[in-house]
Amino acid sequence: MVALPALRRLVDALAGPLILDEAYVDFADRHGLELAQTGKVIVTRSLSKSYSLAGIRFGYAVADPALVRELIKVKDSYNCDVLSLAAAAAALEDQEYLQSTRTKILATRSRLSREMQKLGFAVCPSQANFIWCRRSDRPVKHIYEELKRRLILVRYMAYEGYGDGLRISVGTDAETDRLLEELRRLV
């Protein structure tokens, strides 16, 4: 998550538009939607994460009308089908579902972060529906492979000069309990 003042400085320094990806914004404690009013920022959002609609691949952008007119000139004529539009409209109308899902994910994310820290992982603060964690004492690839062998799927990621870590999506409480139970056996 980039702080709003830093984003404003970036926007001021750019000659062209900035795309601000807010795919996970419904799990964050702040947003940059107001930057769309600058005329230089396109805020993109998705219904894949918080609305649980990854299968319809529906997203949208918020921008100054003049910028939108320019985007329309190059967009695909039929970029949304009628079923995706209907699903997206229904999802956006059901804000009660969004708030319920968000509340559950934030609570489970917080619990997962605390428990991973108790197990010796360094957990980066998260503003998404997943956490990123590493170990300072050893690589985590073996842990990843053991979890996979036990049919628990997390993502292993390694970055040159930074090390490796696990990207763990926030699941149900039962899924989180199982993950933590297996990790207690592994670490």
Side-chain angles (χ1 to χ4, degrees):
M1 177 67 78
V2 178
L4 207 49
L7 285 172
R8 283 193 188 104
R9 287 191 300 274
L10 179 60
V11 169
D12 291 342
L14 291 175
L18 172 74
I19 296 177
L20 181 59
D21 178 1
E22 290 195 342
Y24 296 96
V25 74
D26 291 318
F27 307 111
D29 57 17
R30 59 189 182 278
H31 61 79
L33 199 56
E34 68 188 58
L35 293 174
Q37 297 172 3
T38 66
K40 291 176 66 176
V41 176
I42 302 166
V43 177
T44 61
R45 293 189 173 176
S46 169
L47 301 188
S48 296
K49 312 302 183 204
S50 55
Y51 288 91
S52 306
L53 291 174
I56 69 165
R57 297 287 184 220
F58 191 91
Y60 61 96
V62 178
D64 180 85
L67 197 49
V68 171
R69 281 191 293 279
E70 296 304 310
L71 290 173
I72 289 173
K73 291 178 184 177
V74 296
K75 82 170 188 66
D76 185 1
S77 299
Y78 302 102
N79 55 335
C80 297
D81 62 64
V82 71
L83 296 177
S84 294
L85 288 169
L92 290 170
E93 288 175 14
D94 193 356
Q95 291 300 296
E96 186 178 314
Y97 172 80
L98 171 66
Q99 291 310 314
S100 172
T101 301
R102 180 182 190 275
T103 298
K104 288 176 194 172
I105 288 172
L106 294 182
T108 304
R109 181 183 75 191
S110 179
R111 180 172 73 96
L112 179 59
S113 294
R114 281 192 313 273
E115 294 300 320
M116 293 299 287
Q117 289 169 350
K118 288 179 187 176
L119 291 170
F121 289 86
V123 181
C124 291
S126 177
Q127 296 284 309
N129 66 342
F130 63 88
I131 64 168
W132 166 257
C133 53
R134 302 182 324 153
R135 298 282 304 210
S136 60
D137 60 340
R138 64 181 183 262
V140 297
K141 188 159 191 177
H142 174 72
I143 296 169
Y144 159 77
E145 289 169 347
E146 276 301 308
L147 288 172
K148 186 176 177 182
R149 192 177 67 73
R150 297 168 192 211
L151 304 178
I152 297 175
L153 302 179
V154 299
R155 289 179 67 187
Y156 172 77
M157 301 170 123
Y159 299 99
E160 189 174 328
Y162 186 72
D164 66 350
L166 300 176
R167 181 193 186 277
I168 303 173
S169 295
V170 175
T172 64
D173 285 332
E175 291 166 337
T176 301
D177 291 342
R178 173 134 188 274
L179 166 70
L180 293 169
E181 179 183 311
E182 295 297 336
L183 282 171
R184 286 184 191 102
R185 293 182 181 126
L186 291 172
V187 298

